[in-house]
Each structure stands twice: as C-alpha cells, then as structure tokens.
C-alpha cells in the first residue's frame, strides 16, 4: 500500500477559496429556480364562489416579482450584512405546515395577487375585490398557513395621513404623560390608503373585500388587528387624482406596534419586520414608517440600527406615495408570541449543520436574526465567542430597576425577585473569592444602558442570569455556547425564555422559587456547576 503524502498547503487554500466563493454565491443569489405557487383568484359567475387557479412562476425573474429601485435615484438604504447563520429565504412550495421554517422562516407559500402587476396577458378580474391594476398600481399578499397571517406588499400606494386618526407620535415621554393608549393606535377612514387604478373607473372601490380579509388576514385572538383595518381602508384612486406631496422611491415597511415599550414585544416587531423584508426579497434594508402614535423610547435606537430609517405616519405633511410598500403583520403573529400558547416543536441548530443535514424540526433563523442585530450595531459576528483559558468568564446578571416606560406607567417596575440586591451582592463576593479562574460579574442594569451596550454585554456573556423579565429576550444575540440561568418566582411561571433558548439552541436552566425569594446559596451552587463547563 503506497504511503499517503501530506496535502499541499496550496491545495488546501484553493479548496477553502472555492468553498468561500460557493457560500457567498448562494448568499447573494438567494433565488435559485424553485417552483412558486401563485393563486390567481377568479369569480365564478354561475356558482358565486371563488375559484382558485394555480400557476407556476420562476422566482428568479426579479423584474416580475420585486419592484426595482428607480435608475435615476441613488439608493439611500443600507445593505444587508453578511451573516454566518444566514440560510436562503427562497420560497419553497413544499414547506410543511407547522415546520420550523413555517414558523420562523419563509412559510408564506401562498401568493395571492389582488392587483397583479400590469401585463398584457392579465386582463380579467382577479377575484376577492381585486382588479388588474391598469394604472400601474399593484397589490398582493403572501399567506402562511402555519402562522395564519399574511405579509402584503404593493406598488404606487398612497397614504393620506389626514384620514388616519392617531396621535402624532415620536414625542418625548415627558410631553405626553397620561395620554391614553387608544390615542396612540390608528383608526383608518376609508381611503386612508389608496392604490393607483389608472383611468379612474374603479375609483372609490375597495381593494380587498371581507371574504379576502377573513381568509388571509384573520383577526384570530387579536382584539384590534390594525393591519387588517389598514387593508380594509384601501381604495382605488384614479391616475389623474393620484397626487403626492412626497414620493418615497425605496421599499418601505409599514407597521403598527403594540406594547412598544416592552423589550420582548418589541423583539416580535423587529423579527416580523426582518422576516417581511426577506420574504419580499428586498435587496437592501427597507425604510420604516410607524403607523401608530407612540412616543419615543430607547428602543428606537435598535430600529435605527436595523433598518435604513424610520418615521411616523403623522409626521408627513401631506399625501405620501410609495413605489413599494410592505405591510408587516403584527408582532402577535410571530412564532415568538404564538409559542406561548401553541406547541412549536423546534430546536435551534447551526446553519452549517442544517446545510449538511436538512431537518424541518430544527432552525437557525433566531441565530440569523441575533447576528443581524449584532451586525447592525457594528459588532463582529464572523465567529462564535468561546472563552480562552486566560480570558474572563463573564457572568451577566440582568437586573430589573425602576424606569418610566410609557405615558401610562408610574415609573415603578414590579419586583419578580424580592432579594435581587442580596443575590447580586452574594454573587459578587463569591466571584471575588474564586482565585482558580477569572470570573467577572457584570451588573446588567439594562433600563439605563444604551441598546448597543446591552447587546455588547449579551455577546460577551458566558452565562446570563436573571429573574423572569423582558430583558432576557436579548439572548437572541447570545453566542452559541452561552448558558441561561433563569430565576422564576411562583407568580411568573411563563415559558418565554425557555422557549427562546430552545429555538436558538442554548443551554437553559431554571431555579423555580416557592415565592419570590431566592436562597443565595442555591443560586451560587447552580452557578458553580455551570462554570465548571468552562473549566472553572
């Protein structure tokens, strides 16, 4: 048997370059040639029921599926960063209902054209109140059977702020103390949003009827579904009357936020905005318009980092027109929220593993999104952080402290760990006496830290400790080897963070309390067992 020589270094380098090229090619193309199922809707005049006709479309043809940037305008939008956990968002018609991709990725497999793009072969009605969009306007929705919600988008869409009843939005909290929640949520008059219908023959008619809304934008358990109400308000406008005080040339996300001062609920808004951008194939990060009237919070720092810009609907001085508008579902319609009441059997896995071993019971989407947040703030994401034997092992204690969250908030945060200060002091003493390894206890007073510093603390943590609270949602941006230790009082046995850890693939442990008091010795014992994993 001949001896096997060493592989030349030149050959190894060449192989690595080829693999790197293939990964980048897949990332930027993102649209191989799958079969995309379209549901063009027609009205059967004999039976008075809506019939579906399936057609296939090559999604590689972006000129038909996505509105391009105008050639005369230089893009002001931010590019997408390269993310190690990124997997293609290409639509696959065989995504299983209830699969991990259905919940966390592109399970929006039904494409319903209410107003198809202008085309010589599309001359008939499309059903459900839709028309052919002869004026250049178009509107369609991507429906997910798993989430039972739709991401909708349209072109030549006009927003009339004077037909939206809502507070101005964007004020400092001190200026609007006591303002009612209802004042900050929009009420849409008919024609609050309009689509260019060309010759005006459809002027004043609704873009979507009740049958469409019931089937593709269902209310479910949501008491006030503002995105459904927005679509219900949409009407056709004649081309001669389609006047705008401002044109927004680049893709823009429109969304309404609920519980906007809560970090967990804001994560659901961030996530559905990211998903909506990817599902609609946006080549760059979109701009955002808040169709609500909430005041400012520290969380706007992340909106600004994640997307190209943000603005409030009522901050426009007159009718504004969008070349490409995307209507994001509500945060309540994400897997992050639905998982609190539905069983979502998904486990986190690395993108590298899923490339080699496709499994619809595993997902890397939360890791991808966590990297998106980190990259948006300029942090390196090219490799997981694994503590070196000589480096500090950061133990991040996420604290709850008083702060003024919104105009109806008294400034006092409900305690979920009655002896939090005692626990912190005990851990501080324990860490200072551990001479055999370099432990560092980080005081995570998130309520008074800039968002960028919060994300930095999460990224640098080997262990994240904290009582049940929204700040733990930041574990989405934690490194793969981070361990979560949640201290749960008897009043707050809720699965939020156990589920997020599971879906992200993080090790999770919990200390369940009989009340709200934790024994310092028990917390130290559990933490001591955890740090042994890091050689301490």
């Amino acid at each position: 048997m001949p001896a096997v020589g060493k592989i030349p270094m030149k050959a190894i380098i060449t192989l690595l370059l080829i693999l790197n090229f293939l990964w980048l090619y897949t990332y930027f193309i993102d649209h191989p040639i799958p079969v995309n199922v379209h549901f063009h809707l027609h009205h059967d005049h004999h039976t008075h029921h809506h019939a579906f006709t399936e057609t296939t479309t090559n999604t590689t043809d972006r000129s038909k599926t996505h509105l391009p940037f105008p050639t005369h305008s230089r893009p002001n939008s931010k590019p997408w960063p390269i993310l190690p956990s990124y997997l293609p968002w290409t639509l696959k018609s065989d995504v299983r209902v209830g699969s991990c991709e259905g919940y966390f990725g592109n399970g929006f497999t039904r494409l319903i054209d209410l107003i198809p793009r202008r085309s010589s072969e599309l001359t008939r009605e499309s059903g459900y109140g839709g028309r052919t969009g002869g004026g250049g306007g178009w509107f369609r929705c991507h429906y997910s059977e798993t989430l039972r919600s739709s991401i909708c988008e349209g072109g030549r869409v006009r927003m009339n702020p004077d037909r939206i009843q809502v507070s101005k939005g964007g004020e400092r909290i001190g200026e609007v103390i006591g303002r009612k929640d209802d004042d900050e949520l929009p009420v849409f008059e008919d024609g609050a949003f309009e689509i260019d219908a060309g010759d005006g023959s459809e002027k004043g008619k609704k873009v979507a009827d009740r049958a469409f809304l019931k089937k593709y934008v269902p209310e479910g358990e949501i008491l006030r579904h503002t995105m459904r109400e927005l679509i219900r308000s949409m009407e056709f406008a004649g081309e001669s009357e389609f006047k705008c005080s401002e044109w927004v040339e680049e893709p823009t996300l429109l969304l309404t936020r609920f519980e906007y001062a809560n970090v967990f609920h804001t994560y659901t808004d961030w996530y559905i905005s990211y998903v909506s951008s990817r599902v609609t194939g946006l080549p760059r990060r979109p701009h955002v318009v808040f169709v609500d009237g909430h005041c400012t919070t520290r969380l706007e720092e992340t909106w600004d980092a994640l997307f190209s810009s943000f603005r409030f609907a009522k901050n426009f001085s007159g009718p504004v027109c969008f070349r490409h508008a995307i209507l994001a579902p509500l945060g309540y319609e994400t897997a992050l929220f639905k998982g609190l009441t539905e069983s979502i059997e998904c486990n986190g896995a690395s993108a590298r593993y899923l490339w080699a071993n496709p499994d619809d019971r595993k997902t890397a989407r939360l890791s991808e999104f966590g990297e998106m947040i980190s990259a948006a703030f300029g942090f390196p994401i090219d490799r997981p952080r694994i503590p070196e034997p000589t480096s500090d092992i950061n133990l991040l204690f996420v604290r709850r402290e008083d702060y003024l969250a919104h105009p109806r908030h008294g400034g006092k945060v409900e305690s979920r760990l009655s002896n939090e200060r005692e626990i912190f002091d005990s851990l501080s003493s324990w860490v200072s006496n551990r001479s055999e390894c370099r432990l560092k206890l980080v005081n995570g007073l998130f309520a008074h830290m800039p968002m960028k510093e919060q994300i930095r603390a999460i990224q640098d943590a080997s262990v994240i400790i904290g009582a049940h609270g929204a700040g733990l949602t930041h574990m989405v941006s934690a490194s793969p080897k981070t361990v979560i230790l949640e201290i749960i009082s008897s009043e707050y046995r809720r699965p939020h963070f156990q589920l997020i850890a599971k879906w992200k693939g993080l090790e999770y442990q919990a200390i369940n309390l009989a009340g709200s008091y934790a024994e310092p010795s028990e917390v130290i014992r559990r933490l001591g067992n955890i740090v042994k994993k890091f050689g301490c």
Side-chain angles (χ1 to χ4, degrees), residues 64-112:
K64 294 181 180 179
T65 59
H66 305 300
L67 196 68
F69 288 115
T71 56
H72 63 274
S73 169
R74 184 176 181 180
N76 294 314
S77 52
K78 302 174 185 176
W80 293 109
I82 295 177
L83 308 174
S85 294
Y86 177 90
L87 290 172
W89 286 78
T90 308
L91 180 61
K92 299 178 181 177
S93 58
D94 60 349
V95 173
R96 179 174 61 84
V97 175
S99 65
C100 291
E101 185 65 3
Y103 272 111
F104 293 97
N106 195 353
F108 297 83
T109 54
R110 290 190 180 182
L111 180 55
I112 306 96

Side-chain angles (χ1 to χ4, degrees), residues 276-289:
S276 298
S277 303
R278 292 301 199 180
V279 167
T280 53
L282 301 186
R284 298 171 72 89
R285 288 186 259 174
H287 301 275
V288 173
V289 170

Side-chain angles (χ1 to χ4, degrees), residues 9-223:
M9 181 59 69
K10 184 176 180 180
I12 294 175
I13 293 174
T14 302
L15 178 60
L16 290 174
L17 288 172
I18 292 172
L19 290 173
N20 187 57
F21 171 79
L22 290 174
W23 187 91
L24 288 172
Y25 178 81
T26 304
Y27 181 92
F28 286 111
I29 293 300
D30 191 17
H31 284 278
I33 308 177
V35 172
N36 186 6
V37 180
H38 286 234
F39 292 82
H40 290 294
L41 311 179
H42 310 286
H43 191 271
D44 187 325
H45 296 282
H46 298 287
T47 62
H48 299 283
H49 293 293
H50 295 96
F52 295 84
T53 301
E54 296 187 15
T55 61
T56 59
T57 300
N58 182 343
T59 55
T60 307
D61 186 354
R62 292 193 176 224
S63 66
K64 294 181 180 179
T65 59
H66 305 300
L67 196 68
F69 288 115
T71 56
H72 63 274
S73 169
R74 184 176 181 180
N76 294 314
S77 52
K78 302 174 185 176
W80 293 109
I82 295 177
L83 308 174
S85 294
Y86 177 90
L87 290 172
W89 286 78
T90 308
L91 180 61
K92 299 178 181 177
S93 58
D94 60 349
V95 173
R96 179 174 61 84
V97 175
S99 65
C100 291
E101 185 65 3
Y103 272 111
F104 293 97
N106 195 353
F108 297 83
T109 54
R110 290 190 180 182
L111 180 55
I112 306 96
D113 273 313
L114 276 169
I115 311 174
R117 299 293 298 276
R118 190 187 332 200
S119 177
S120 59
E121 68 270 14
L122 293 176
T123 58
R124 45 176 165 66
E125 291 189 1
S126 61
Y128 281 113
R131 301 294 187 271
T132 57
W138 57 277
F139 191 78
R140 64 187 184 179
C141 292
H142 310 256
Y143 178 72
S144 166
E145 290 188 65
T146 298
L147 295 173
R148 301 178 299 283
S149 68
S150 292
I151 297 169
C152 299
E153 59 178 330
R156 294 184 66 82
V157 176
R158 181 170 66 184
M159 179 178 72
N160 297 300
D162 61 339
R163 298 180 190 174
I164 304 173
Q165 298 176 24
V166 69
S167 50
K168 183 178 179 180
E171 308 94 341
R172 294 180 179 179
I173 189 170
E175 300 171 1
V176 292
I177 293 295
R179 185 166 65 188
K180 296 179 181 179
D181 190 40
D182 281 348
D183 294 339
E184 298 182 350
L185 296 175
V187 175
F188 301 103
E189 299 177 10
D190 290 345
F193 286 82
E194 296 174 298
I195 293 183
D196 179 8
D199 60 10
S201 60
E202 306 290 343
K203 178 185 174 183
K205 293 184 179 179
K206 294 290 186 182
V207 171
D209 62 18
R210 291 183 179 180
F212 172 85
L213 293 172
K214 181 178 180 180
K215 187 172 182 64
Y216 295 110
V217 196
E219 291 176 293
E221 302 298 320
I222 301 171
L223 297 178

